[in-house]
Amino acid sequence: MVAGFPCPYEDELLYSLLARYCSRVRPFSKQSVNQQLFGSPTALTSVHCPTRLQHLALTLADQWSLSTEQLIGLHTLYPYQQPFLDHESAQALMTRMTRGSGTTRISISRRDTVAVPEYLRYCPVCASQERQTLGEAYWHRLPQLIGVEVCAIHEVWLENSSVSARALGAWHKFVSAEGAILTCCPKPVSIQEPGRDALFQLVRDATWLLKQTSLPSDPISLWKRYRFLLREQGLCSYRGKLSISKFLTRFHRMFPPTCLSQVAGTSRRVASGTTFVALSRKPKGRMPPLYHLILMQFLGKTAEEFFHMPEEPADFGSGPWPCLNKVASHYREQVVTKCAVEVQKDGGRPVARFSCDCGFEYVRVGPDWGPLAQYTYTRVAQYGPLWDGTFKRLWSRSELTLPFISKEVGIAEKNLSLHAARLNLPVWRREHGRVAIPGRKRTWRGRSERPTASAIASARESWKTLCHMSILSGPEMREERRLYHWLFRHDHAWLIAQPHRPRIPSLAGSHTRVNWNERDQFLAQVLERQPSIPALSGHHRISVNKLIRQSGYRHLIQPNLHRLPMTRATLKRKVARCQE
């Protein structure tokens, strides 16, 4: 048991706990504190990832109920780094923090140029409130993260202290926040600050990450999610090829250079956006968590939404899927469990083939545009015995019309004869109407009943009366046209034998021939009367096209110049005269 060791506050950094303990007991040296708490006088206590925490947890077991894993997850920055490391690196880092000695450094690629904060940082408003409620201020984990520049609660800028945040040597002394933080006037974040929303969203994402203790360490799954989101926004092809120019244009519109320089440094690769382009490719090296959070925000996802996405997002959703066989009793019900997904050879888009137990199989080219896309298909691969049996039964009944059968089986009317030919069905004849020959496109939609004799006689008399009228109004002309087509359909032989033809006026109007000689003379006179414009050397050139435009008859001259010889000669003469 260690006498005088303080109880931890929420989100308190382990360094802050050690500093508060030293301010209480005032040890002779830091080596004595290391020996007492970490079991080694030469233990190095890093602000970001301290080591030998298993010994510390065992030493404080009588006072704390925290295990080593809980101590690491609640009071170090390990949860912020862990989701972006591969599994082996995350396990090695956990082992060194638990039992290792010396400082723990996270090896990252040379492309990482983000500088670790040199001093411990704090929010002046939070520190003032803690002194009022707790009696003392303490160092938080959140302000020490790379990329966190503001306090999202009070919307003020973070302040630097005089306490070093780099690796702590044996000469270093633990400095508490109560003794280092000075009272100062907070600096609010202006509403016009470039990238203001992005700054606060980075803080919220980092806060959520610090509270997670069970996120997987798999860079490949991160890359797959990135590629899926890029593909949804039209920035990436279905085979993974990124449109770099479009990506960078949108990226710089969302993250201005001033905002990037504040949170990610002044590196040329960061300012140009090529660092974030590298994240969209298959991972070859480690990148700082800040880069990942910026890319997530660019793709429209918070950290919580991103990590709750499936590792391999389904282009067609998760089953079961609906059966789209319209003649089945389970039509549009979620009963299909078989789905085979392939990739197109041309274009690389995913193609899914859904197979129902009733034999109906349909194909849809993805990815789905929304939840309602599951009730559509691109084509039917196989109709199945249930659909074929229903079609045969309906086709054999001559009293049914083609529109009725089309509605019942769920296909277009023009395709009915094709399926009749596929099923080797006989020719279907109606009692009155044309023959529906399988395999031939129908151009006439007949009726199941013939008009009565009285209806035909009434139509004949009405049509004759309208034909003998000298002047017809608009409604009478439309009625005459309707009766003519009705009789043409139902009483064709009688209509053809009549001496009178229907008055169907021409809607296009009269077509008169153009007298090109007269038009040529007229246009030539217009050009002759047009005042000459002298050419100005070096700047203006008098051309045929310019003269045509100035005449005001460009729509008549330019497309028909080959029909206007006098006009052509006039144009050439005026161009030569202007150039003299």
Side-chain angles (χ1 to χ4, degrees), residues 363-421:
V363 175
R364 182 165 67 250
V365 178
D368 287 350
W369 46 263
L372 296 180
Q374 61 180 339
Y375 297 103
T376 63
Y377 57 79
T378 305
R379 63 180 178 87
V380 177
Q382 184 175 342
Y383 286 89
L386 177 61
W387 191 93
D388 291 344
T390 304
F391 182 83
K392 290 179 180 179
R393 178 173 53 83
L394 295 175
W395 186 264
S396 63
R397 298 176 59 182
S398 59
E399 70 275 11
L400 298 180
T401 61
L402 295 181
F404 177 82
I405 298 177
S406 172
K407 185 177 180 181
E408 287 295 314
V409 298
I411 62 173
E413 182 180 340
K414 63 181 181 180
N415 295 330
L416 292 176
S417 57
L418 301 178
H419 288 280

Side-chain angles (χ1 to χ4, degrees), residues 92-109:
L93 179 59
M94 174 65 77
T95 302
R96 293 197 64 184
M97 293 180 67
T98 304
R99 298 187 297 271
S101 60
T103 58
T104 303
R105 297 185 60 186
I106 302 176
S107 60
I108 50 183
S109 63

Side-chain angles (χ1 to χ4, degrees), residues 453-464 482-483 486-487 494:
S454 59
I456 294 177
S458 176
R460 288 177 180 179
E461 292 298 326
S462 299
W463 182 75
K464 283 183 177 181
R482 186 190 69 80
L483 289 172
W486 192 89
L487 291 170
W494 177 87

